Amino acid sequence: MREVAILVTGSHFRSGYELYAHVLVAEQRGLSDEKLATIVAGQRPVDLTKQEAVAYDMASALVSGGVLPELTYRAAVKEFGEHGAAELSYLVGVYCMVSVTLNTFDVPVPD
């Protein structure tokens, strides 16, 4: 779920290095190439697990701006508990900052 949320965030900011680095981690954690390609393209895969779907929806809502919808928050609490939902929010916030920082300095993707 962490990698799904990070990739949603990186995709939103079109942060090449972040996407590069976390696709590698997500592959190691078993996410399929199709799922990864869809997320990196800024779209929601149809074959997400329940927890991946909740992480995707929460990250997507947070990077879109505004208040997190109540139903999205409730789904996150149901899947991850209050502490887990809060941690997911912090994770997205941190990777927003990471994406912006990487983009500021135009950190290249390794060859």
Side-chain angles (χ1 to χ4, degrees):
M1 287 59 66
R2 290 176 49 91
E3 295 308 315
V4 168
I6 292 167
L7 291 170
V8 167
T9 305
S11 175
H12 174 79
F13 287 99
R14 294 181 301 282
S15 180
Y17 189 86
E18 184 172 328
L19 292 170
Y20 159 79
H22 286 279
V23 162
L24 294 175
V25 175
E27 287 174 336
Q28 292 173 349
R29 294 196 173 149
L31 272 80
S32 70
D33 290 342
E34 296 81 20
K35 207 178 273 191
L36 293 171
T38 303
I39 294 170
V40 168
Q43 300 173 5
R44 188 180 192 273
V46 295
D47 61 340
L48 295 171
T49 66
K50 178 66 175 169
Q51 289 189 337
E52 290 170 346
V54 171
Y56 183 99
D57 292 345
M58 186 165 169
S60 181
L62 288 170
V63 299
S64 295
V67 175
L68 182 66
E70 180 67 25
L71 290 176
T72 305
Y73 176 74
R74 280 195 230 157
V77 169
K78 182 178 179 183
E79 284 302 313
F80 310 123
E82 284 186 21
H83 184 78
E87 283 190 12
L88 184 56
S89 173
Y90 307 149
L91 179 76
V92 172
V94 166
Y95 278 93
C96 285
M97 190 234 6
V98 169
S99 293
V100 169
T101 303
L102 291 169
N103 285 347
T104 297
F105 298 101
D106 195 18
V107 176
V109 174
D111 293 329

